[in-house]
Amino acid sequence: MIGPVIGVLFDGFAYGMLLFLLSVGLSVTLGMMNFVNLAHCAFAMLGGYVTVTLMNRFGWPFLATLPFAFLVTALVSIVFERVLYRRLYRASDLDQVLLTIGLAFVSVAVAAYVYGTIQQPVQMPSYLRGSVTVLGVGFGVYRLFLVAVALAITLLLVAALEYTRFGAQVRAAVDNQRMARGLGINVDGAFAFTFALGSGLAGLGGALAIEIVGLDPSFAFTYLIYVLIVVSVGGLGSIAGSFAAATLIGISDVAGKYYIPELGPFLIYLVMVVLLMWRPAGLFGRR
Amino acid sequence: MSALSTRGLDKSFGSLVVASDISFELPQGARHALIGPNGAGKTTLINLMTGMLRPDAGEILLGDEEITALPPEKRVSRGLVRTFQINTLFPNLNALEAVTLAVCEREGMARAWWQRISAYPSAVDEAHAILSSLMLGADCYRPTRELPYGRQRLLEIALALATRPKVLLLDEPAAGVPRDESAELFAAISNLSRDITVLFIEHDMNFVFRFASRIIVMVGGRILLEGTSEEVAADPRVREVYLGKSHHGVRHG
Amino acid sequence: MSVTAASPHAYLERQARWTWIEVAFWAAALLPFWLTPNYLVLASQIAITALFALSLDLILGYAGIVSLGHAAFFGLGAYTAGLAAKHGWGEPITGLMLGALVAGIVGYAASLIVSRFRHLALIMITLGMGLLLKEAANSASWLTGGADGLQGVKMWPVFNTFRFDLYGYVAYTYSLIVLFLVFLVARRIIHSPFGLSLRGIRENPLRMPAVGASSRAHLRKIYTISAVMAGIAGALLAQTTETVSLASIDFERSADVLVMLILGGAGHLYGGLVGAIIFMVARDQFSGNTPQFWYFWIGTLLVAVVMFLPNGILGGLAKLVSTWRGSFWRGKS
């Protein structure tokens, strides 16, 4: 009786961790520069396709592709930031939305052209397949792996933010950009680095997502909606907020689909609208 | 009965106290100045009085009516109006449109969506008259963003005047205005009707001594003292607070 | 370069006057009857989409509300008119009004929420509301036909004389007239004191309370009016095509109309119309190719418009015109 509940909670939590990896970068960069990057999940999709290419074309083992999914995405995002994004930091929300949606459209078209529209078949290594039974409840090995990776990254991020000088600069920039500049902090540099890091994490998330939700060109938009929900519910610029919101959304989605399948995604949209009405700046947001 | 008064206003952001026990009175027709070093809480006080910030404690009275709980637009319709330290205008509207907007809002015409503006000639005429009195008549068809800075500053005041204020709070009206454009600004302020009670924040002490009959000095969220120009200029505490500043005649902006 | 020393009244009079370009535009709208009689069905679709884009322009271009879920009202109008016809009342004009009414009521309810938010929260809430309504329509398949769409919509002739024909003759006439009438209302709004206040909200929301304006009341009003117009457009679609599907209420429709409006230029009243024409004609021409091709070009176009033509086609043209005429004193729109 408890079994299914724990199973659902765990699956929901694992899904939430995936959403966290996909969302944390967007939340921090939105909080720092107020730049609405709707191409964020297109970057995630890129990471996924990097893994697919390395594994299926070049025969790399899965784990080895992950750092590359991160790096390639981070590098590509830097290129976009230099060439396009930095011209729009002072532009209106609408312009940023439109530009980045346009980029997402282009990336979807390119992905469909190069890889086709079907889901990419990818074989996980044997040690990540199957499940482990603890106290009579089955836990998927891959999901355990995903949770472990996400928690490790969360700890690293929090530690970096709290204990390094760079982290302090990021926190200052998120808190009050003008003041931070006035204190001599290189906000633009900090932002570029954070943006690359966040996009890289999204790429990693995209790679990890293949086994959970599959990868096809529509990923860029389907998961964008979830990511936006997590970011707006969690609050801009907050790692804790993204974590909490991702967990909430992940569990709500899985539980909703399990217990009341007729409602489908209805539940999360409702949760989001209600939460935003109660707290427009998100659970942990400022302003 | 004073035109505007506050009693015991407090406001803090966490542990940062920006206003502490602010109490003062503006008599009808006054020309008072509010001065103090940066960070003293002057603009915060304006925000509290106009309703953009909610005080943690205290009251604000306009005339004999308590307005502490009123939203900003209701205070404006009762006659409490401010201008902004940094031009807060409508970049793509021209001056005529901007001031007409203010007049229509005041008169409640802004609700009318089925009639053209040209069907309300009185509003347009009044807008044009206000602009002319501030020497903006000739420029009134240019988009605001094309106006020189000094003219924009005048437009700030025009917008405020269009609401028929009883109490006018001017937040650093001379800030950033180049020397060759300041004459019109000074003329505009001199010409303000004596029916309007004016409180202005300024750093430029020449401006203050020229226009204000009484000065309120604010430091660290509190009122240090209040008195005539001579009293304030002679007070040693004020000299201490303004160490060196009185020699610069600083213009900010 | 001389200052036009016109009186303020003459100036405002001139702002609101019909220019010859506008007259030409509407006259040109009659051309399809003679030039492209085989494309009247497409023409009526364009007119309907143009109306939808116009409704979005009122809230986006004039009041500054960025909505990613405006198709909700389009869909509401479509389903209402469709359901009325399906259940025995196929009279077009009243069906149209019914669609407008339902969209307006929901629009008013939504406006109570929407008027309170800005920036990301606003974008997300409008997106969320649109998605919610689509899911509701999907789930309530007993009412809406779900993924299969509404079947059995039978329209009566307009004014009991003009039967909807296969060639789209009546459809286009009907749609064009409705578009024009609603356009006249929109034009009136823009040139009214209310329209001026809307532009004030868009230009500087902070200044509005400082001049005594209650922005929220204004936003609620324009959002409701816009919802009514979108509902009319949706109802028109249901009536002229005699079907209603989930496509009328999904995110893609909200996104498409946004693209059209930006392409044409928001805040110029004709931007949505121009954008709709270009978008729909292009899509009709390229629909043979794979969808990826279409998305690639739309994406590139969006990037190009934002980087190089931030005010859309009409904005770019307006700038050109004002530079040519050497007149900086016009301050149009």
Side-chain angles (χ1 to χ4, degrees):
Chain A
M1 243 201 336
I2 295 279
V5 176
I6 300 213
V8 165
L9 279 175
F10 174 68
D11 278 355
F13 185 68
Y15 184 50
M17 288 300 94
L18 181 63
L19 288 178
F20 171 70
L21 285 176
L22 289 172
S23 315
V24 65
L26 185 60
S27 175
V28 176
T29 48
L30 252 170
M32 264 180 104
M33 275 294 207
N34 251 307
F35 185 79
V36 185
N37 177 22
L38 295 189
H40 186 76
C41 281
F43 287 126
M45 189 174 74
L46 174 65
Y49 278 113
V50 166
T51 292
V52 163
T53 314
L54 287 176
M55 279 182 75
N56 290 355
R57 269 284 221 109
F58 299 105
W60 283 34
F62 176 65
L63 290 183
T65 66
L66 294 181
F68 276 87
F70 177 88
L71 275 170
V72 171
T73 312
L75 286 171
V76 170
S77 75
I78 292 182
V79 171
F80 276 103
E81 198 263 336
R82 295 275 121 168
V83 174
L84 281 175
Y85 287 13
R86 57 174 39 193
R87 288 169 218 268
L88 287 173
Y89 288 155
R90 265 170 253 293
S92 65
D93 293 336
L94 182 62
D95 281 344
Q96 294 173 355
V97 162
L98 293 170
L99 179 91
T100 52
I101 283 190
L103 287 175
F105 278 158
V106 172
S107 70
V108 168
V110 169
Y113 183 73
V114 174
Y115 291 97
T117 52
I118 49 162
Q119 283 207 348
Q120 297 302 313
V122 151
Q123 271 278 57
M124 285 295 120
S126 52
Y127 50 85
L128 284 179
R129 282 187 255 146
S131 64
V132 179
T133 317
V134 174
L135 295 177
V137 186
F139 294 95
V141 173
Y142 186 79
R143 281 177 170 72
L144 284 167
F145 166 66
L146 177 60
V147 170
V149 169
L151 287 176
I153 290 181
T154 312
L155 285 171
L156 276 173
L157 285 177
V158 172
L161 210 61
E162 286 293 309
Y163 298 114
T164 67
R165 211 174 111 208
F166 182 74
Q169 293 182 339
V170 169
R171 273 184 291 134
V174 170
D175 212 22
N176 190 331
Q177 208 198 104
R178 226 162 52 160
M179 188 77 83
R181 271 188 220 272
L183 288 171
I185 294 178
N186 180 5
V187 171
D188 290 334
F191 180 74
F193 185 84
T194 315
F195 183 74
L197 179 64
S199 304
L201 282 176
L204 178 65
L208 290 169
I210 305 176
E211 179 66 11
I212 306 267
V213 294
L215 178 68
D216 62 40
S218 67
F219 187 92
F221 280 107
T222 320
Y223 290 92
L224 177 64
I225 297 190
Y226 285 99
V227 165
L228 285 176
I229 292 177
V230 168
V231 168
S232 43
V233 167
L236 306 182
S238 165
I239 294 183
S242 303
F243 194 90
T247 311
L248 176 66
I249 298 292
I251 295 181
S252 304
D253 192 45
V254 172
K257 286 184 174 146
Y258 184 80
Y259 289 113
I260 337 167
E262 311 89 54
L263 280 186
F266 196 84
L267 190 62
I268 335 182
Y269 300 147
L270 194 61
V271 167
M272 173 186 78
V273 173
V274 169
L275 254 154
L276 275 181
M277 279 164 57
W278 174 49
R279 277 189 182 279
L283 288 170
F284 287 76
R286 302 137 213 278
R287 294 171 235 252
Chain B
M1 184 188 72
S2 50
L4 177 71
S5 60
T6 72
R7 290 208 269 262
L9 279 184
D10 290 328
K11 181 70 184 173
S12 312
F13 291 112
S15 52
L16 182 67
V17 176
V18 290
S20 176
D21 196 30
I22 306 282
S23 305
F24 69 87
E25 284 190 15
L26 284 179
Q28 191 65 37
R31 293 286 186 272
H32 285 22
L34 177 63
I35 67 173
N38 280 328
K42 307 187 294 292
T43 301
T44 306
L45 181 57
I46 302 265
N47 287 337
L48 283 169
M49 291 195 284
T50 52
M52 289 174 67
L53 276 182
R54 242 211 210 133
D56 297 332
E59 296 157 347
I60 307 166
L61 288 107
L62 187 64
D64 53 7
E65 189 190 348
E66 185 179 341
I67 58 168
T68 327
L70 279 186
E73 57 271 12
K74 293 262 164 60
R75 300 189 197 197
V76 169
S77 52
R78 280 169 177 63
L80 175 59
V81 180
R82 68 158 316 161
T83 62
F84 290 84
Q85 178 184 350
I86 301 177
N87 284 329
T88 308
L89 301 167
F90 305 114
N92 293 309
L93 295 185
N94 57 43
L96 182 66
E97 290 170 327
V99 181
T100 308
L101 196 169
V103 174
C104 286
E105 284 289 348
R106 186 194 78 217
E107 293 293 316
M109 294 170 197
R111 269 177 248 142
W113 54 270
W114 57 88
Q115 285 273 50
R116 298 187 177 169
I117 298 182
S118 39
Y120 296 94
S122 58
V124 178
D125 283 336
E126 187 182 336
H128 196 248
I130 294 176
L131 288 169
S132 301
S133 72
L134 289 171
M135 310 301 166
L136 286 171
D139 285 331
C140 71
Y141 303 118
R142 292 171 72 182
T144 301
R145 62 184 147 75
E146 286 179 18
L147 292 175
Y149 196 84
R151 291 278 155 107
Q152 288 187 4
R153 227 64 200 106
L154 284 171
L155 185 54
E156 268 284 334
I157 298 180
L159 279 180
L161 290 179
T163 61
R164 290 220 188 117
K166 296 198 189 104
V167 178
L168 186 55
L169 309 173
L170 299 174
D171 196 343
E172 295 195 43
V177 178
R179 218 165 270 272
D180 55 358
E181 293 176 46
S182 55
E184 285 169 341
L185 182 69
F186 282 26
I189 296 189
S190 305
N191 289 334
L192 287 174
S193 158
R194 277 284 148 179
D195 290 334
I196 304 178
T197 307
V198 179
L199 173 72
F200 49 89
I201 300 177
E202 251 311 329
H203 282 285
D204 182 349
M205 296 311 285
N206 297 324
F207 189 96
V208 171
F209 289 134
R210 183 164 162 176
F211 289 112
S213 52
R214 285 186 81 78
I215 302 179
I216 304 169
V217 183
M218 237 181 119
V219 180
R222 276 167 220 276
I223 295 184
L224 182 62
L225 81 136
E226 182 189 337
T228 64
S229 333
E230 295 81 25
E231 289 166 3
V232 167
D235 195 299
R237 292 174 291 170
V238 176
R239 290 251 186 82
E240 200 181 302
V241 161
Y242 269 107
L243 208 63
K245 279 232 173 114
S246 55
H247 296 298
H248 294 172
V250 181
R251 282 223 171 124
H252 292 259
Chain C
M1 240 199 329
S2 61
V3 180
T4 40
S7 80
H9 295 287
Y11 173 79
L12 286 173
E13 207 56 53
R14 206 174 34 184
Q15 293 293 90
R17 206 182 300 154
W18 280 77
T19 62
W20 66 267
I21 299 182
E22 287 185 81
V23 176
F25 178 87
W26 291 102
L30 295 173
L31 286 177
F33 287 114
W34 293 282
L35 289 186
T36 56
N38 294 329
Y39 285 94
L40 289 182
V41 174
L42 175 64
S44 71
Q45 303 266 330
I46 294 179
I48 290 170
T49 312
L51 177 56
F52 184 35
L54 177 65
S55 76
L56 185 67
D57 199 7
L58 284 181
I59 56 170
L60 184 85
Y62 286 97
I65 300 175
V66 182
S67 171
L68 285 181
H70 211 50
F73 305 112
F74 185 85
L76 276 170
Y79 276 107
T80 307
L83 282 169
K86 174 174 172 158
H87 292 280
W89 185 257
E91 205 284 305
I93 311 281
T94 44
L96 204 63
M97 292 199 240
L98 207 58
L101 183 67
V102 170
I105 292 175
V106 178
Y108 178 71
S111 75
L112 297 171
I113 301 171
V114 164
S115 59
R116 288 173 181 279
F117 299 101
R118 286 170 51 213
H119 302 312
L120 184 67
L122 176 63
I123 294 176
M124 291 309 297
I125 286 182
T126 54
L127 177 65
M129 293 194 316
L131 291 171
L132 269 174
L133 212 61
K134 187 223 158 175
E135 284 304 316
N138 195 7
S139 308
S141 46
W142 53 272
L143 182 68
T144 61
D148 297 324
L150 205 61
Q151 314 289 342
V153 176
K154 284 279 171 281
M155 299 305 305
W156 302 348
V158 183
F159 296 131
N160 242 324
T161 12
F162 305 104
R163 190 173 298 278
F164 284 106
D165 58 287
L166 281 171
Y167 297 99
Y169 196 83
V170 170
Y172 184 51
T173 316
Y174 180 47
S175 310
L176 189 60
I177 291 178
V178 172
L179 168 65
F180 186 66
L181 291 174
V182 176
F183 175 81
L184 288 178
V185 173
R187 200 173 187 282
R188 247 308 147 92
I189 293 177
I190 297 308
H191 292 293
S192 71
F194 177 61
L196 187 58
S197 287
L198 287 179
R199 286 159 61 201
I201 296 176
R202 179 196 68 198
E203 291 286 314
N204 199 333
L206 270 181
R207 198 56 166 117
M208 292 303 281
V211 297
S214 43
S215 303
R216 278 203 199 143
H218 291 326
L219 289 174
R220 287 196 296 267
K221 198 186 284 180
I222 195 63
Y223 195 80
T224 309
I225 293 176
S226 168
V228 167
M229 291 183 178
I232 292 177
L236 275 179
L237 184 69
Q239 294 179 340
T240 54
T241 58
E242 293 193 330
T243 62
V244 186
S245 73
L246 287 177
S248 63
I249 208 170
D250 69 12
F251 174 68
E252 203 181 311
R253 187 164 291 264
S254 293
D256 282 348
V257 73
L258 186 60
V259 173
M260 284 177 227
L261 182 59
I262 297 307
L263 177 63
H268 296 271
L269 204 61
Y270 282 90
L273 309 189
V274 168
I277 294 173
I278 297 179
F279 187 93
M280 302 280 288
V281 169
R283 188 157 69 178
D284 186 66
Q285 291 300 304
F286 293 126
S287 66
N289 300 345
T290 48
Q292 289 90 38
F293 189 70
W294 174 248
Y295 274 109
F296 182 81
W297 288 110
I298 285 294
T300 316
L301 186 71
L302 270 177
V303 174
V305 166
V306 172
M307 299 297 293
F308 305 117
L309 252 186
N311 288 313
I313 291 177
L314 289 190
L317 281 177
K319 229 179 179 178
L320 270 176
V321 167
S322 73
T323 330
W324 281 345
R325 292 230 186 112
S327 159
F328 291 104
W329 315 87
R330 296 260 163 144
K332 216 176 168 71
S333 228

